[in-house]
Amino acid sequence: MSNVVTITGVKKLYKMGSEIVAALNGVDLKIDSGEFVALMGPSGSGKSTLMNILGCLDRPTVGSYKLLGQEVSHLSDDELARIRNKTIGFVFQNFNLLPKLTSLENVALPAVYAGVSTKARLSMAMDALKKVSLSDRAEHLPSELSGGQRQRVAIARAIAMKPSIIMADEPTGNLDTKSTGEIMEIFRDLHAAGSTIILVTHEPDIAQAADRQILVKDGQIVKDIGKDSHEIIDIV
C-alpha cells in the first residue's frame, strides 16, 4: 500500500500573551491508502488541530506534511483550497448543507467549484446519492429530510468527486441510534470499496469500526492500535 498521509515532526504553535503554546508537539503519522482510521482525544488534546492540518484547512508551524507524496505544509491558502477540492471529501457533524439547495444541488457543489460542466456534475451527484441510497430524495430540500438523511446527503457530497481521502468530523454526533447505525454502515461500505477514511469521534463503539484507533493527548499521539486489538481507548 502507498502512503496517503505522511506527517513528520509536526508542531503547531500559538502565541498566547507572553507564552508559546503547542497545540501539536512533534507528531509523526503515516496513513496508507485504503485505511480506516479513527482519531480520538479529549477536548484540548490537539485532535482538532491535527484534523485541520490533515484536511489542509491549516498548516503546521514546524514539520513536514506530505499528502499523496506532495509536500503541502508551506502551500498558500489558494493552493491548499485546490488540493482540498480535488483530494479530500469532508463530512461534518452539523451536515453543512445549504438550506435553499436540493439534495442534488448540495452534492454537486464541489464539482461547481472545480469547474465541472452542469451536466457532468449533476450526473456525478446523482451517482453519489445512489451510493448512499438517497436518489429518491434528490429534489428535496434539507428541511424536508431527517437528520440521518441529511448526513447521507453530506456523505454523498463528500464522495461525489471521488476524493483520495474522506474526512469525517463527529459524523454521528447529532444522530439517533438507528441513524448512527445506518451512517456507519455506509462508511464501512465505502471502506470496503477502497476509500481511505479518517474519522474523528469521541465514541469508542464508533471508533471500533476503524482499522486503527489513534489517541491524541497533550499535542502528541500517545496510542496507535490496530483493528485486531481488543483494547478500547479511553479518551478521558
Side-chain angles (χ1 to χ4, degrees), residues 60-197:
T61 308
V62 177
S64 168
Y65 176 22
K66 290 183 178 179
L67 178 61
L68 298 173
Q70 178 184 359
E71 181 63 57
V72 298
S73 58
H74 303 300
L75 295 182
S76 70
D77 289 347
D78 286 346
E79 289 169 327
L80 287 176
R82 282 193 290 271
I83 286 177
R84 284 197 305 271
N85 185 260
K86 291 181 179 179
T87 308
I88 303 169
F90 292 95
V91 182
F92 300 99
Q93 179 176 346
N94 293 324
F95 321 129
N96 288 11
L97 302 177
L98 296 183
K100 294 184 179 180
L101 297 186
T102 66
S103 299
L104 188 67
E105 291 167 336
N106 267 290
V107 174
L109 270 180
V112 174
Y113 301 138
V116 179
S117 70
T118 300
K119 182 178 179 180
R121 67 177 178 251
L122 292 179
S123 176
M124 292 165 62
M126 184 57 78
D127 286 345
L129 283 171
K130 287 176 181 176
K131 288 180 181 177
V132 299
S133 302
L134 214 61
S135 57
D136 60 334
R137 296 291 189 271
E139 298 304 322
H140 286 61
L141 297 172
S143 60
E144 299 170 322
L145 303 175
S146 68
Q149 288 172 332
R150 291 180 200 178
Q151 194 59 294
R152 280 194 271 165
V153 172
I155 293 172
R157 179 183 58 195
I159 65 174
M161 293 279 289
K162 297 180 172 60
S164 299
I165 303 173
I166 300 169
M167 292 194 173
D169 190 0
E170 299 282 1
T172 61
N174 284 337
L175 302 179
D176 59 28
T177 301
K178 181 177 182 293
S179 295
T180 292
E182 292 170 351
I183 294 303
M184 291 311 299
E185 186 63 31
I186 290 172
F187 280 120
R188 282 188 284 268
D189 289 345
L190 291 170
H191 176 231
S195 292
T196 305
I197 300 173

